[in-house]
Amino acid sequence: MPASSSARQPGNFQESTQRIVLQGVSWQTYKALLAELGDHRASRLAYDGEFLEISMPSDRHETNTKLLERMIESVTEELEIPIKGFRSTTLKAYPKSPNGQHSNPD
C-alpha cells in the first residue's frame, strides 16, 4: 500500500513553530492544563498571569536543539567539565510581575 502524501519523510521538516495565544487564562486553568497534559508533552506552555501561549516547536527547531546538545556534550566531555541537562523546565510558582514577564522559560 503506498504511503499517504501527508506522511512524513526523512528530511521533510515542519518549517515553522505552531502557536496560539489565549488571553484571560486563570492560574487554576494553567495548572489544570499542566496536570492534564503531563510532563511528557510535545507542546510547550508559557504563562505570564494573563496570557497563555501554547506552541509546538517545528521539526527544524528540534533538530537544531539536538545538534547543539550533542556539540555541548562532546566539548564538555572532551574538556572533562561536568554538566547537567534539563531540557524543558516548567516553573510552577505564580508569576509575580503583572507586566507580562514570563515565569516559564519555555
Side-chain angles (χ1 to χ4, degrees), residues 82-95:
I83 62 170
K84 188 172 185 179
F86 291 100
R87 289 285 310 206
S88 297
T89 301
T90 300
L91 305 176
K92 295 183 181 177
Y94 186 78

Side-chain angles (χ1 to χ4, degrees), residues 9-97:
Q9 301 296 323
N12 183 12
F13 291 109
Q14 174 191 333
E15 291 294 330
S16 63
T17 298
Q18 298 174 9
R19 68 185 63 200
I20 186 169
V21 177
L22 305 172
Q23 185 177 5
V25 176
S26 72
W27 176 246
Q28 292 78 18
T29 301
Y30 171 65
K31 287 183 10 181
L33 281 170
L34 285 177
E36 185 70 29
L37 294 172
D39 290 335
H40 302 288
R41 61 186 178 272
S43 59
R44 296 188 179 172
L45 282 71
Y47 180 69
D48 71 357
E50 181 183 359
F51 293 94
L52 173 65
E53 178 184 76
I54 304 171
S55 61
M56 293 286 294
S58 68
D59 295 340
R60 185 169 304 279
H61 171 87
E62 294 299 322
T63 300
N64 290 340
T65 298
K66 187 64 177 176
L67 177 62
L68 183 59
E69 178 183 325
R70 288 180 176 174
M71 290 170 44
I72 291 170
E73 287 174 348
S74 296
V75 169
T76 56
E77 183 177 331
E78 186 66 30
L79 297 175
E80 298 180 4
I81 299 171
I83 62 170
K84 188 172 185 179
F86 291 100
R87 289 285 310 206
S88 297
T89 301
T90 300
L91 305 176
K92 295 183 181 177
Y94 186 78
K96 294 179 181 176
S97 174

